[in-house]
Amino acid sequence: MAVSLGKPPVVNLVAIDTGSTLSWVQCQPCAVHCHTQSAKAGPIFDPGRSYTSRRVRCSSVKCGELRYDLRLQQANCMEKEDSCTYSVTYGNGWAYSVGKMVTDTLRIGDSFMDLMFGCSMDVKYSEFEAGIFGFGSSSFSFFEQLAGYPDILSYKAFSYCLPTDETKPGYMILGRYDRAAMDGGYTPLFRSINRPTYSLTTEMLIANGQRLVTSSSEMIVDSGAQRTSLWPSTFALLDKTITQAMSSIGYHRTSRARQESYICYLSEHDYSGWNGTITPFSNWSALPLLEIGFAGGAALALSPRNVFYNDPHRGLCMTFAQNPALRSQILGNRVTRSFGTTFDIQGKQFGFKYAAC
């Protein structure tokens, strides 16, 4: 998503993340560890060059709320300059950002709003964007701040579509959406039990025509996670069912999947050594199908490209994983690519649209 920050404005491309709440971009000066920001992500933001930029004071209510919601163990304050600080880590530590909180002008269309966000001075981030904008349910998430401007956002909802092919366009819509277009149906949307995010209730998982799960369970919608994480018991059933189906076309489970946390397959013909390149799988129509059913009758009938992907070092891998440490299952972005997804916060429902991008 492109965002216009400050005056004079700096346009940055940021990742949208429904699995987190804090919004941040890399800033000048970068004091510790810096992220190599791609030219297409825009110039590095410098709050000192924006005449509308203001620091968030340590004693402010916003700073206290930030510490509580991020569960920071230490005082989040740079006392010499009275600046509220933050620290956020993603997943198992693949990315983090540490810096100071600021407020500055954000332009949306022809409208302007004051946005509180993080100016990162120490960052580990392997993607090309300038930073991450959180769409979670906390009061300081980008979307919740935007919702405080009813003249800009007349209806509390957002929709997006992430294309399967990254060279093709997707979309991001803030506000009202086409309700009749949700041909995948609607399911109740609610605030997650243990995280400031949004969740759905899964009721069914069908793999290769076999119903594996029929009990209800919470599933967080996380656009920042690539894989869909399942309970270990559900993952084991999926592993067994898909492995049996794959053996019928000459593909077998490989031990290359790290710590057996996800599932990959190879045929004898594909094997080329640990450091070699594996021949990409191309017979997509031969692969088993999956469907995820949700409360209220909504369903995701997944195409093979939503379920599998080619890994040059591990073979044909599934987009599903297990993580025993999680308190909830997670619906990742590979599964929902090409689907239009709508978070209707005001109407408390979540909608799917097939082949939207």
Side-chain angles (χ1 to χ4, degrees):
M1 180 175 72
V3 295
S4 176
L5 296 169
K7 288 185 178 180
V10 171
V11 177
N12 277 175
L13 285 178
V14 296
I16 58 171
D17 185 12
T18 62
S20 66
T21 55
L22 184 73
S23 298
W24 62 268
V25 294
Q26 182 169 225
C27 290
Q28 296 280 16
C30 178
V32 185
H33 186 269
C34 306
H35 161 54
T36 303
Q37 190 164 308
S38 168
K40 64 180 179 180
I44 297 176
F45 182 71
D46 186 348
R49 293 180 177 271
S50 172
Y51 62 82
T52 51
S53 178
R54 302 180 303 278
R55 69 179 182 274
V56 176
R57 296 183 181 276
C58 299
S59 58
S60 67
V61 173
K62 290 181 178 179
C63 191
E65 290 177 347
L66 185 78
R67 180 184 179 188
Y68 175 80
D69 283 352
L70 294 182
R71 300 178 183 179
L72 300 178
Q73 300 300 313
Q74 299 177 347
N76 51 326
C77 178
M78 191 174 290
E79 294 182 357
K80 285 186 177 181
E81 53 185 79
D82 191 20
S83 287
C84 181
T85 61
Y86 74 91
S87 174
V88 61
T89 302
Y90 297 88
N92 58 0
W94 72 271
Y96 71 80
S97 175
V98 179
K100 297 185 289 188
M101 297 300 297
V102 300
T103 61
D104 209 335
T105 298
L106 173 75
R107 180 173 181 174
I108 299 179
D110 294 326
S111 301
F112 298 88
M113 63 175 280
D114 286 332
L115 179 71
M116 184 177 78
F117 61 96
C119 251
S120 186
M121 302 180 296
D122 179 11
V123 59
K124 174 187 175 185
Y125 188 56
S126 58
E127 304 299 330
F128 77 86
E129 299 96 352
I132 296 174
F133 267 39
F135 276 69
S137 59
S138 287
S139 61
F140 58 83
S141 78
F142 164 73
F143 186 73
E144 287 297 320
Q145 291 187 68
L146 175 62
Y149 291 81
D151 56 325
I152 301 177
L153 192 75
S154 60
Y155 189 83
K156 196 174 179 181
F158 63 89
S159 310
Y160 60 80
C161 185
L162 307 175
T164 303
D165 183 346
E166 294 182 2
T167 64
K168 296 181 179 179
Y171 65 75
M172 179 81 199
I173 300 172
L174 301 172
R176 298 188 181 277
Y177 62 99
D178 184 357
R179 297 172 183 271
M182 298 294 110
D183 51 6
Y186 289 96
T187 185
L189 178 71
F190 58 94
R191 292 196 175 198
S192 307
I193 297 172
N194 294 306
R195 289 172 55 178
T197 50
Y198 293 102
S199 291
L200 317 175
T201 299
T202 59
E203 293 188 336
M204 179 179 62
L205 178 62
I206 299 175
N208 199 35
Q210 299 183 44
R211 190 180 294 250
L212 305 183
V213 179
T214 56
S215 58
S216 299
S217 177
E218 179 188 12
M219 179 171 275
I220 294 171
V221 187
D222 186 352
S223 66
Q226 290 197 353
R227 290 187 174 83
T228 293
S229 296
L230 304 174
W231 297 126
S233 57
T234 305
F235 180 83
L237 290 172
L238 180 65
D239 188 352
K240 180 180 178 181
T241 303
I242 298 299
T243 297
Q244 289 176 347
M246 293 298 292
S247 66
S248 67
I249 60 172
Y251 277 74
H252 306 282
R253 183 79 148 82
T254 173
S255 60
R256 294 183 179 196
R258 181 179 55 192
Q259 300 176 349
E260 300 299 311
S261 61
Y262 50 91
I263 308 168
C264 296
Y265 299 96
L266 281 172
S267 71
E268 293 182 4
H269 174 72
D270 290 333
Y271 183 76
S272 59
W274 175 256
N275 293 319
T277 300
I278 296 169
T279 303
F281 185 88
S282 58
N283 188 17
W284 296 97
S285 62
L287 296 175
L289 301 177
L290 266 74
E291 181 177 335
I292 306 174
F294 298 92
L300 276 178
L302 304 175
S303 74
R305 290 184 182 272
N306 288 108
V307 179
F308 297 91
Y309 67 98
N310 281 306
D311 186 301
H313 302 296
R314 296 184 176 92
L316 183 67
C317 298
M318 292 194 71
T319 59
F320 291 79
Q322 67 169 338
N323 189 340
L326 294 176
R327 295 183 181 182
S328 174
Q329 300 186 107
I330 290 177
L331 186 69
N333 68 46
R334 283 187 183 270
V335 162
T336 60
R337 290 180 190 180
S338 80
F339 287 91
T341 54
T342 292
F343 290 69
D344 186 341
I345 311 300
Q346 190 164 326
K348 298 181 179 180
Q349 58 183 357
F350 185 91
F352 299 106
K353 179 182 179 183
Y354 282 91
C357 66

